[in-house]
């Protein structure tokens, strides 16, 4: 048995000492960062892979703002893949595999499909799969008879404007403008359908200039996977669907089965981007780095809904966990980034986490109250709130068991309630409106923080960082005090 001499510290225990700065405007600083050794994002923020935090709406909003959402794994592989594809279809100058209809179908079928898929047009193909037209809401809105054939009302091949796969965004924009059209099918060299470009998609990058995009111009998105053998199939399906990064979701990441999973994925998918964790020690970070991870996620028990430290007695205060783990990565000589996961309550915590060695941070509860998080708000004691639950809470654990056992409430399932040892809680958080507003505050705090740190970017913030440990009196002085808040 041993006891460490230096104390474990967390965000509230310290402040950063202001540094000489030549930054005159908050707009001058660069908030971009490494998510993994190969992927950059434009703001250093991830939404957590929790079932009350990240599904498609959150992932789309996060990537549009320049960060990334990690879609949780507590759903079937099929559903998971569908969610990734929805994010990937949400933006990108070209939609791949657009919805199609055969030219011999009835117009009413086209109307029904457009409604069902919530799209404004379908590419029309013949029996051989070759493109021979396009049908849009403009063609069908006033159609007198739904029993007409698609080929009778569509824009026919002779008049169809098309693009080849190697088109440029400027070319697409010019054709859309010159022909005053909304959609252009993209063809393969043999005349089959490759994709669809819409005016809306061409405009989106202008609307979200900071969006985190992949090399095809689509929003970036991540997905969580478990570490059991069956999860290899999930990982492969997600990679096939175009996921940018896989996040190993295991509470104690410094474990043989987690290290083995990283090794297996690395061996089978050399180019896959893998975030491994969670760890809170130098050795944990080192072992996962050596196993082939592209980034290390740090945090054992700092989360707002976590009770791991109470239930098990294990954990490391988050600031120390970040510093120790960063050293563990450095020990290997492999240059991969660190993600600080959990415990971020204020923008200042984010700045401290980055200064301590993280290159990005993951947030759960602060986002759970936003519009984009799954679930609807409810009124509790006159206040609008949303539910957040730890993924190891009793409700989340039992919810998963019910899904796994196909909702079969047998006696055995009932007994399972007694066997669960929760390491998280269920709670409510105030409703916070759109996540964009929360992100605006966080990124605003980061921009100011960089300026106080005399740093034009996150790397420089880390180089300049000097922490000072504070006392309970210092903590009290740091918040608003001796005034009555409105
Ligand atoms: P915040 O503080 O942002 O933390 O809400 C989110 C992170 O908390 C972790 N998490 C859990 N940890 N028991 C735990 O010990 C749980 O039930 C639990 N659920 C989530 C997770 O790392 C998340 O990103």
């Amino acid at each position: 048995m041993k006891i460490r001499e230096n104390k474990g510290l967390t965000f509230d225990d310290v402040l950063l000492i202001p540094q000489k700065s030549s930054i005159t405007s908050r707009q001058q600083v660069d908030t971009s960062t490494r998510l993994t050794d190969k992927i950059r994002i434009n703001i250093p923020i991830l939404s957590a892979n929790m079932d009350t935090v990240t599904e498609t709406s959150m992932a789309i909003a996060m990537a549009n703002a320049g960060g990334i959402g990690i879609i949780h794994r507590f759903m079937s592989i099929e559903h998971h893949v569908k969610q990734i594809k929805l994010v990937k279809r949400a933006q990108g100058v070209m939609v791949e595999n657009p919805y199609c209809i055969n030219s011999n179908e009835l117009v009413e079928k086209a109307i029904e499909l457009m409604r069902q898929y919530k799209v404004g047009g379908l590419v029309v193909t013949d029996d051989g799969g070759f493109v021979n037209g396009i049908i849009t809401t403009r063609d069908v809105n006033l159609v007198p008879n739904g029993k007409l054939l698609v080929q009778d009302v569509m824009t026919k091949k002779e008049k169809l404007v098309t693009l080849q796969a190697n088109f440029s965004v400027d070319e697409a924009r010019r054709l859309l403008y010159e022909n005053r059209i909304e959609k252009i099918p993209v063809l393969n060299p043999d005349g089959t359908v490759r994709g669809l470009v819409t005016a809306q998609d061409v405009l989106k990058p202008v609307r979200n200039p900071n969006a985190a995009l992949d090399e095809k111009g689509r929003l970036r998105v991540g997905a969580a996977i478990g570490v059991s053998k069956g999860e290899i199939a999930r990982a492969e399906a997600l990679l096939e669907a175009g996921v940018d990064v896989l996040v190993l979701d295991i509470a104690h990441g410094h474990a043989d089965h987690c290290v083995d999973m990283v090794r297996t994925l690395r061996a089978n998918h050399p180019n896959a981007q893998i975030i491994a964790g969670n760890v809170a020690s130098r050795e944990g970070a080192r072992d996962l780095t050596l196993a082939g991870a592209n980034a290390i996620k740090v945090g054992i028990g700092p989360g707002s809904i976590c009770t791991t430290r109470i239930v098990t007695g294990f954990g490391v205060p988050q600031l120390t966990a970040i510093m120790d783990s960063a050293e563990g990565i450095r020990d290997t000589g492999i240059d991969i980034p660190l993600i600080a996961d959990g415990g971020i309550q204020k923008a200042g915590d984010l700045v401290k986490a980055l200064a301590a060695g993280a290159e990005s941070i993951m947030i759960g509860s602060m986002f759970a109250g936003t519009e984009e998080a799954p679930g609807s708000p409810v009124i509790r004691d006159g206040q609008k709130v949303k539910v957040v639950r730890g993924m190891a809470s009793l409700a989340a654990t039992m919810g998963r068991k019910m899904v796994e056992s196909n909702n079969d409430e047998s006696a055995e399932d009932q007994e399972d309630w007694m066997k669960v040892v929760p390491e998280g809680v269920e709670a409510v958080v105030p409703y916070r409106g759109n996540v964009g507003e929360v992100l605006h505050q966080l990124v605003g705090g980061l921009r100011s923080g960089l300026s106080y740190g005399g740093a034009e970017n996150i790397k420089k913030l880390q180089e300049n960082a000097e922490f000072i440990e504070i006392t309970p009196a210092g903590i009290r002085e740091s918040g608003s005090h001796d005034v009555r808040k409105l």
Side-chain angles (χ1 to χ4, degrees), residues 48-50 249 251 278 297 299-309 341-345 362-366 388-393 422-425:
N49 43 291
M50 293 164 64
D249 178 19
N278 278 16
K297 193 149 70 74
I300 302 286
S304 52
I305 34 57
C306 306
T307 53
T308 295
R309 294 179 187 173
D341 175 16
I344 303 288
Q345 297 165 20
M362 178 175 261
I363 288 182
S365 298
M366 205 195 280
V388 58
R389 62 185 193 183
M391 293 316 303
S393 65
E423 289 184 27
V425 297

Side-chain angles (χ1 to χ4, degrees), residues 247-428:
V247 178
L248 291 197
D249 178 19
I250 170 167
H252 181 28
H254 194 197
D256 288 347
H257 51 301
C258 183
V259 175
D260 289 345
M261 183 70 163
V262 176
R263 282 207 192 105
T264 307
L265 284 171
R266 178 54 60 236
N268 297 345
H269 302 279
N271 297 323
Q273 293 298 288
I274 306 162
I275 296 175
N278 278 16
V279 293
S281 67
R282 191 169 178 157
E283 295 73 19
R286 184 197 58 206
D287 288 355
L288 290 178
T289 305
L290 291 174
N294 301 95
I296 302 296
K297 193 149 70 74
V298 173
I300 302 286
S304 52
I305 34 57
C306 306
T307 53
T308 295
R309 294 179 187 173
I310 308 296
V311 173
T312 70
F314 281 84
V316 177
Q318 186 68 343
L319 196 84
T320 298
I322 295 169
M323 289 176 169
D324 286 356
S325 304
E327 272 183 37
I329 297 174
R330 274 196 297 275
D331 287 347
T332 66
I334 301 170
D335 183 21
I336 59 168
L338 184 157
I339 300 163
D341 175 16
I344 303 288
Q345 297 165 20
K346 322 172 262 305
D349 299 341
L350 180 160
V351 179
K352 290 173 192 174
L354 297 174
E359 293 190 42
S360 63
I361 55 108
M362 178 175 261
I363 288 182
S365 298
M366 205 195 280
F367 291 158
T370 65
E371 185 62 37
E372 290 83 354
S376 304
V378 293
I379 304 292
R380 174 81 65 95
D381 298 331
Q383 204 200 1
K384 203 170 174 185
V385 294
K386 285 188 89 166
V387 170
V388 58
R389 62 185 193 183
M391 293 316 303
S393 65
L394 181 64
T397 311
M398 285 317 296
R400 289 199 293 276
K401 280 184 187 284
M402 296 280 273
V403 172
E404 281 158 19
S405 63
N406 270 339
N407 297 332
D408 171 17
E409 284 186 69
S410 63
E412 202 178 57
D413 291 329
Q414 305 270 342
E415 271 173 35
D416 281 348
W417 285 93
M418 317 293 288
K419 291 185 200 153
V420 176
V421 181
E423 289 184 27
V425 297
E426 253 191 302
V428 292

